[in-house]
Amino acid sequence: MRSSLFQALNAEANGHFQRATPSEMTAEKTEDFGIVEYGDREEEDGAADAREASEIEKLVSESPPEDVDPEVQLQTILDCILPPRRFEEYEKTWVERASTLPATRLDVLALKEKFEKTLEARGAKPFGICPIRRCVYDQLFDELIREVTVNCAERGVLLLRVRDELRLSLLSYQSLLESAIAYGVRKAIGVERQQTRAVVELDEEVARNKILHQKLEELEQRIASQRLANEEELVLLEQRMNDENSRLAESNKALKHK
């Protein structure tokens, strides 16, 4: 019965991680603050890895064997939830797996104190966007999932789905924010270019307006001088006509006396 339960939980966890792995959810490698409780470091063994892979195959199969150790099944599920950490040291590969020891009340209080000290030591912001605070909270959530999974695997897998859904939602909001920022930058650059173009066009129009004003003043001066010349010519013409009329009148008068 318990073997079937762990088989279902492990299949669900493996299927979930095939859809979205932690490495796909986090674009950058986060720093380990030591919040998640891991077991003792042990040397990686190829045969052990092959044996673990075979056990996972059995766990996710339709008819799992009844003699599978529940501790191994629990460790397998924890390995799916919290992948083991690997280290290269002394030309050997060492592995640290998530601890399968249940957490007591004192462990939870120590975890709370360590969590708060980590936030303070790393200078995490109390509010707003802060990658450090987000990383610390993520690792705290992973440790809580580990503790819950050790006591009840069903709740642990459900919390795993909640954690991944939150991360996917956060990545979606982050992508939306980056798109909005990029759109705002593009719009700002476009507006700045339009303003620069408008300033250049304004300078060109001002220069053209100045040239037209100069042409207008020249035309007004030419019209004024032409009007003055026409008036003087008209005065001379009238005077000439008056003189001619006077001469003709005197000639007519002289002819009448004869």
Side-chain angles (χ1 to χ4, degrees):
M1 178 67 180
R2 186 167 180 81
S3 177
S4 300
L5 172 63
F6 276 103
Q7 177 268 336
L9 293 173
N10 190 69
E12 183 177 3
N14 278 308
H16 187 66
F17 272 96
Q18 287 177 359
R19 294 191 297 271
T21 61
S23 60
E24 293 173 346
M25 293 182 186
T26 54
E28 63 211 11
K29 186 177 180 181
T30 57
E31 181 181 358
D32 184 13
F33 297 107
I35 296 178
V36 180
E37 188 69 25
Y38 282 87
D40 295 334
R41 184 179 300 185
E42 58 185 16
E43 185 177 355
E44 187 176 27
D45 188 4
D49 292 341
R51 183 176 64 254
E52 290 170 3
S54 176
E55 289 170 356
I56 294 175
E57 295 273 343
K58 294 178 181 179
L59 286 173
V60 298
S61 63
E62 295 182 357
S63 56
E66 297 294 335
D67 58 347
V68 176
D69 187 3
E71 187 73 17
V72 175
Q73 293 176 324
L74 176 60
Q75 185 66 66
T76 302
I77 294 178
L78 287 176
D79 289 345
C80 294
I81 297 175
L82 300 171
R85 299 186 300 188
R86 286 175 168 79
F87 305 91
E88 296 288 340
E89 192 175 19
Y90 303 114
E91 298 182 354
K92 294 182 180 180
T93 303
W94 302 86
V95 180
E96 287 184 358
R97 304 181 186 278
S99 175
T100 58
L101 297 177
T104 63
R105 182 174 180 274
L106 294 178
D107 293 334
V108 176
L109 293 177
L111 174 64
K112 177 177 179 295
E113 183 178 357
K114 186 176 183 180
F115 165 70
E116 293 176 349
K117 287 183 177 180
T118 302
L119 289 176
E120 183 179 358
R122 296 294 178 173
K125 299 178 181 178
F127 52 85
I129 299 176
C130 180
I132 297 177
R133 190 181 74 249
R134 172 189 168 190
C135 181
V136 175
Y137 270 92
D138 284 344
Q139 294 186 22
L140 175 64
F141 199 8
D142 289 342
E143 171 60 18
L144 293 179
I145 292 176
R146 185 199 69 82
E147 295 176 2
V148 171
T149 304
V150 171
N151 294 325
C152 180
E154 298 95 330
R155 285 198 294 267
V157 174
L158 289 177
L159 284 177
L160 169 67
R161 298 182 63 179
V162 172
R163 182 199 69 179
D164 292 345
E165 180 63 26
L166 289 176
R167 289 184 179 179
L168 289 175
S169 300
L170 184 60
L171 288 178
S172 299
Y173 291 140
Q174 183 177 356
S175 177
L176 181 61
L177 176 61
E178 292 174 354
S179 300
I181 292 175
Y183 176 76
V185 170
R186 289 196 300 268
K187 291 295 291 184
I189 293 175
V191 171
E192 185 177 357
R193 289 178 179 176
Q194 291 179 358
Q195 290 179 349
T196 304
R197 193 181 306 115
V199 170
V200 173
E201 292 178 355
L202 178 62
D203 294 339
E204 293 177 354
E205 292 297 330
V206 169
R208 184 188 300 177
N209 191 20
K210 186 176 181 180
I211 294 173
L212 291 177
H213 272 293
Q214 291 178 355
K215 290 183 178 180
L216 180 60
E217 290 178 358
E218 292 176 358
L219 290 175
E220 288 179 350
Q221 291 178 0
R222 187 182 301 175
I223 291 173
S225 60
Q226 187 68 29
R227 183 180 300 168
L228 181 60
N230 292 336
E231 289 178 356
E232 291 177 354
E233 185 179 357
L234 182 60
V235 170
L236 292 175
L237 182 60
E238 288 180 354
Q239 185 177 1
R240 191 181 305 123
M241 294 297 293
N242 291 332
D243 294 341
E244 184 67 22
N245 288 335
S246 298
R247 187 180 64 76
L248 290 176
E250 290 178 357
S251 298
N252 188 19
K253 187 176 180 182
L255 290 174
K256 285 182 180 181
H257 285 300
K258 291 181 179 181

